[in-house]
Amino acid sequence: MSFETAATPQDAVDRLEALYEEAKDALRNDLQRFFSTQQPPTSDERARYRYPMLRVTYEPSKLPAATRRGYAKFATPGIYSTTVTQPAEFRGYLLDQLQPLVEEYGATIETGISHQEIPYPYALDGGDELGRGKVSPAELARYFPTPLLALVGDEIADGTFDIVEGEPRPLALFDAVRVDYSLRRLVHYTGTDWRAVQPWVLLTNYHRYVDQFVRLAIAEIEAGTAEALVTPGGVRIDREGIDVSAAERVMAAPWHRFQMPAYHLIRPQGQEGVTLVNIGVGPSNAKNITDHLAVLRPNCWLMVGHCGGLRQTQIIGDYVLAHAYLRQDGILDDHVPPDIPIPALAEVQVALQDAAAEVTGEKGDRLKARLRTGTVVTQDDRNWELRWSKERRRINLSRAIAVDMESGTIAAQGYRLRVPYGTLLCVSDKPLHGEIKLPGAANAFYERAVSEHLKIGLAALEKLKEAGSAIHSRKLRSFDEPPFR
């Protein structure tokens, strides 16, 4: 099928939706036929299982209007393209990217069919549809396209792709098959539909934050400022389902079946909600979930979790606002080497500090006494204290004030994948000063500190919403970026 020029961005997205649904329906119908009759698709039928392609051409006749925006702009004239999946779900994002390219740059938009096949698992919505026990995955792989790891990668995001003269440049960081790969992983790890993920994300390393998030979410639903809370296992609490047992029903949901359970606070239409993910402990989990969340192009993710305080003057329950990271997580060294600085984003830092002042009611020196700004060490070894003689010098040189196992990874992933990021941690122990977590003291600390900490994170996200597109900092963009954010 030839490419068609779209009169408007809306027309382009309309056609992407139509092409995608045609391809997906063709694949689903032929799969169902195979389940019933074992009749494989013909080569002509298989040729219909392809992602739509979006192509944008920029041929400047004049200089474009100057913009301070960090995205939706061209690095150089030429043709840019990407394959697209789930265009109806990504409609708002696509329009947000395309409209400035047309209005400010005079770009031309075309849509058509790509050569990239849709793997058959991505056309099915339920895990019980794979032949219903009658057909094995090996049989399906003989006749239908399968997910091929050779076709899934982050070369564009990592800047390792080759620019071939005469070939289109990348239009977006992730193509369709990379997006579909992560959408399925999100369902697997979080226990919730990826469509429920909200554009503002809180990441935590302790389940007690979930307990507080659920309580606050139910209070919002009761007050009418939120529509629903979606939790692992398909549990949905809305105003009709609010009763004295609502929190207990959420807690009884099968969250423990999932490695990184997610909870989504859905706000009324036109108001963006918040997702909280309990990522557990360690840099591997932190990288894993952010690799997949990134394809949804969230507006921001913030780490709100616990850390060890490294200064004698800190008190358990104090906050740490990270402005730099000593990354000893090791997991991203090939993608973002440790000698590459991860900059603090001014809008995020200000929002977190202002939110802390607002929630705690403390200002000036009183706030500074509880909220320290400094470097956070992110380790890959929970028992780093056992090599204290080696770690002591690096901690001293870095002037670090806290240690954890996730924050540096999450910030580096935000930098790498162009998602605004920030970190506000709460000191739960002081390993260098003999104040370790003992059960009684720990429980008292958790009851007192977790609720306030979570409220600060939520308040910071509200302030970032007011900042608008300014949070998508140009610090996250390279000189030869794809146009799309």
Side-chain angles (χ1 to χ4, degrees):
M1 183 181 295
S2 61
F3 280 77
E4 292 184 8
T5 301
T8 66
Q10 290 80 2
D11 290 343
V13 178
D14 287 345
R15 187 162 189 255
L16 289 173
E17 291 181 20
L19 294 175
Y20 176 73
E21 289 304 320
E22 288 174 10
K24 188 175 177 180
D25 287 346
L27 177 50
R28 287 179 62 89
N29 291 338
D30 290 352
L31 280 167
Q32 295 299 335
R33 184 183 67 193
F34 188 76
F35 294 155
S36 300
T37 69
Q38 281 70 58
Q39 179 183 341
T42 66
S43 58
D44 287 341
E45 287 172 332
R46 180 161 172 165
R48 299 180 299 173
Y49 316 154
R50 295 181 181 179
Y51 289 110
M53 176 170 280
L54 177 63
R55 193 163 67 186
V56 178
T57 302
Y58 172 47
E59 296 176 344
S61 58
K62 61 179 181 180
L63 289 176
T67 178
R68 293 177 59 84
R69 188 178 57 246
Y71 62 93
K73 55 187 181 182
F74 293 104
T76 186
I79 300 173
Y80 298 77
S81 69
T82 189
T83 50
V84 178
T85 188
Q86 301 287 348
E89 299 295 335
F90 286 93
R91 185 179 185 88
Y93 167 78
L94 292 168
L95 292 176
D96 187 51
Q97 307 307 301
L98 288 170
Q99 284 169 342
L101 300 181
V102 172
E103 294 169 1
E104 299 174 19
Y105 293 85
T108 301
I109 308 173
E110 298 173 286
T111 55
I113 299 294
S114 74
H115 295 295
Q116 194 177 66
E117 291 185 308
I118 302 175
Y120 76 81
Y122 301 157
L124 303 174
D125 294 325
D128 60 345
E129 293 182 272
L130 294 181
R132 298 175 180 85
K134 301 177 182 178
V135 181
S136 70
E139 290 178 276
L140 289 170
R142 293 179 60 192
Y143 304 111
F144 295 92
T146 58
L148 298 176
L149 291 181
L151 301 179
V152 181
D154 283 334
E155 289 81 5
I156 300 172
D158 290 331
T160 59
F161 66 94
D162 294 324
I163 297 177
V164 179
E165 192 66 32
E167 293 292 322
R169 290 171 171 261
L171 180 63
L173 293 174
F174 307 110
D175 63 7
V177 73
R178 170 65 172 85
V179 172
D180 268 338
Y181 170 84
S182 281
L183 297 183
R184 291 310 174 101
R185 293 300 189 275
L186 284 172
V187 175
H188 171 74
Y189 287 115
T190 69
T192 57
D193 191 322
W194 60 266
R195 296 170 185 84
V197 177
Q198 300 299 293
W200 302 94
V201 180
L202 294 175
L203 305 170
T204 189
N205 55 8
Y206 199 56
H207 195 78
R208 287 184 188 248
Y209 285 82
V210 173
D211 299 339
Q212 292 295 332
F213 186 77
V214 169
R215 294 190 185 102
L216 293 172
I218 290 175
E220 280 209 34
I221 296 169
E222 290 177 326
T225 57
E227 286 190 348
L229 175 67
V230 177
T231 74
V235 175
R236 179 184 174 95
I237 303 293
D238 55 25
R239 295 199 72 179
E240 295 179 357
I242 288 287
D243 56 34
V244 293
S245 66
E248 288 75 12
R249 282 188 285 125
V250 172
M251 290 300 106
W255 61 267
H256 55 279
R257 298 179 188 172
F258 306 103
Q259 186 173 344
M260 289 176 274
Y263 300 77
H264 315 285
L265 181 59
I266 313 296
R267 299 194 189 278
Q269 188 171 6
Q271 300 180 35
E272 297 168 328
V274 178
T275 285
L276 174 74
V277 186
N278 179 12
I279 66 174
V281 176
S284 179
N285 278 4
K287 179 182 183 296
N288 187 357
I289 197 65
T290 48
D291 275 341
H292 303 314
L293 286 171
V295 305
L296 295 174
R297 308 314 297 144
N299 286 326
C300 182
W301 56 49
L302 300 179
M303 177 65 190
V304 287
H306 294 161
C307 67
L310 298 178
R311 299 300 177 93
Q312 181 68 54
T313 53
Q314 289 170 309
I315 298 173
I316 291 177
D318 281 356
Y319 295 115
V320 171
L321 175 57
H323 75 179
Y325 303 89
L326 176 57
R327 293 191 292 125
Q328 299 186 164
D329 54 326
I331 198 167
L332 284 170
D333 290 1
D334 289 339
H335 303 289
V336 185
D339 61 329
I340 300 297
I342 306 299
L345 303 182
E347 293 82 4
V348 178
Q349 300 296 97
V350 169
L352 283 167
Q353 181 166 306
D354 288 350
E358 181 180 289
V359 172
T360 64
E362 296 172 346
K363 298 180 180 179
D365 290 341
R366 289 180 61 86
L367 180 62
K368 289 181 181 179
R370 286 201 62 195
L371 177 68
R372 292 286 297 272
T373 301
T375 298
V376 171
V377 184
T378 293
Q379 293 278 7
D380 60 357
D381 180 2
R382 176 59 190 88
N383 295 321
W384 63 272
E385 299 99 325
L386 301 181
R387 56 173 193 259
W388 167 236
S389 58
K390 178 180 179 181
E391 293 297 326
R392 175 177 177 273
R393 184 169 186 271
R394 286 182 64 81
I395 290 175
N396 274 333
L397 285 173
S398 69
R399 310 298 192 263
I401 63 171
V403 58
D404 80 342
M405 298 187 68
E406 301 86 24
S407 295
T409 310
I410 288 167
Q413 280 283 82
Y415 177 81
R416 173 183 171 233
L417 303 173
R418 287 74 159 179
V419 177
Y421 51 85
T423 298
L424 184 71
L425 302 174
C426 190
V427 176
S428 61
D429 63 332
K430 294 168 61 181
L432 306 188
H433 306 287
E435 296 187 41
I436 61 175
K437 291 179 183 175
L438 297 174
N443 284 331
F445 153 71
Y446 292 140
E447 289 300 322
R448 181 181 71 253
V450 169
S451 178
E452 182 183 78
H453 191 189
L454 183 60
K455 288 177 181 176
I456 294 172
L458 291 168
L461 292 181
E462 291 301 315
K463 294 180 182 299
L464 289 170
K465 290 180 187 179
E466 296 172 5
S469 63
I471 68 169
H472 297 290
S473 175
R474 288 175 292 176
K475 294 177 184 175
L476 303 180
R477 313 287 290 182
S478 67
F479 70 92
D480 59 353
E481 279 289 294
F484 279 14
R485 173 174 67 79

